[in-house]
Amino acid sequence: MKSGSALHQYSGAVYRAYAEAVTRSGLAAEVRSRASPELQRVLASPPNPITWLDSSLLVELLEIVVKLRGAEAGRRLVFDATRTSIGRMIEPVLKTTLSIFGSSPASLMSRLSTLTMLTDRGSHYRYQPRGDNSGELCVELTVAMPKTFWEAWLGVIDFGLDLCGTTGQGRLASQAADGKSAIYLVEWAPRAKSR
């Protein structure tokens, strides 16, 4: 049985972003050869950006990439899709948020539930600071997800750190036994300015 359901969905824009990222990664042919007919259709002809599709297709895509190239490849794919497409789609909202609340990863993480309203349904985010440059991000979904999903989701954190001009890392600290939530520990520092 596939993970996901109509209770957890991503916008067509998200699927378009992933289709483009898979092509840029050079894995498109390998992914398509292992994909279900439905995922093959989505990759070949991405949906209208304002439609909503079940999250199980994204899970399938990530699981294929991870099987082909490992967990780091899944994380890079998520980062690339977020940076080049999804991030651009909500860039005005992101920039406004950072200008009002400060250019800190904490500013983004504490507002993720609002910031992602255009890209996903069935997700809730809670951020708890652990210091000036660290915190705990809890991601809760309406459906269970496999560990490959949670590990690849670190690419979203990588994007947020990069967007804020910081260096740092996210780490998957725990995943709930039911697969519906995960906790990430995130640490960062200002990026050194080049001379």
Side-chain angles (χ1 to χ4, degrees), residues 15-27:
Y15 280 100
R16 284 177 173 269
Y18 278 94
E20 293 168 7
V22 166
T23 298
R24 282 190 300 276
S25 75
L27 293 173

Side-chain angles (χ1 to χ4, degrees), residues 31-32 123 161:
V31 167
R32 278 194 301 270
S123 302
L161 294 171

Side-chain angles (χ1 to χ4, degrees), residues 62-132:
L62 292 172
E63 287 182 329
I64 293 169
V65 169
V66 169
K67 283 179 187 169
L68 289 170
R69 296 290 190 270
E72 187 58 33
R75 183 176 181 163
R76 281 193 311 270
L77 183 72
V78 172
F79 173 80
D80 183 40
T82 305
R83 179 178 53 87
T84 59
S85 298
I86 303 164
R88 277 195 223 133
M89 181 178 80
I90 61 172
E91 186 175 17
V93 175
L94 294 173
K95 286 185 175 183
T96 300
T97 298
L98 293 174
S99 69
I100 293 171
F101 299 106
S103 187
S104 163
S107 296
L108 289 180
M109 289 185 286
S110 63
R111 294 167 178 81
L112 271 178
S113 289
T114 302
L115 294 171
T116 60
M117 288 172 55
L118 296 175
T119 59
D120 69 272
R121 293 177 176 167
S123 302
H124 179 71
Y125 306 91
R126 288 183 290 117
Y127 175 71
Q128 179 66 47
R130 296 287 183 228
D132 290 341

Side-chain angles (χ1 to χ4, degrees), residues 5-75:
S5 75
L7 299 174
H8 187 243
Q9 300 174 317
Y10 288 103
S11 71
V14 169
Y15 280 100
R16 284 177 173 269
Y18 278 94
E20 293 168 7
V22 166
T23 298
R24 282 190 300 276
S25 75
L27 293 173
E30 287 182 275
V31 167
R32 278 194 301 270
S33 73
R34 290 165 173 81
S36 67
E38 188 176 4
L39 180 57
Q40 288 176 9
R41 281 190 297 277
V42 167
L43 293 174
S45 181
N48 183 307
I50 59 171
T51 60
W52 293 93
L53 293 170
D54 188 272
S55 64
S56 64
L57 293 171
L58 182 57
V59 172
E60 178 186 351
L61 173 62
L62 292 172
E63 287 182 329
I64 293 169
V65 169
V66 169
K67 283 179 187 169
L68 289 170
R69 296 290 190 270
E72 187 58 33
R75 183 176 181 163

Side-chain angles (χ1 to χ4, degrees), residues 1-5 7-8 10 55 59 120-126 137-151 153 172 174-184:
M1 181 177 160
K2 290 183 179 180
S3 298
S5 75
L7 299 174
H8 187 243
Y10 288 103
S55 64
V59 172
D120 69 272
R121 293 177 176 167
S123 302
H124 179 71
Y125 306 91
R126 288 183 290 117
L137 178 64
C138 179
V139 180
E140 300 169 328
L141 304 178
T142 53
V143 297
M145 291 291 180
K147 188 172 183 179
T148 52
F149 173 88
W150 297 115
E151 289 173 341
W153 205 89
L172 178 58
S174 65
Q175 176 185 340
D178 67 1
K180 291 184 177 183
S181 66
I183 295 174
Y184 298 91

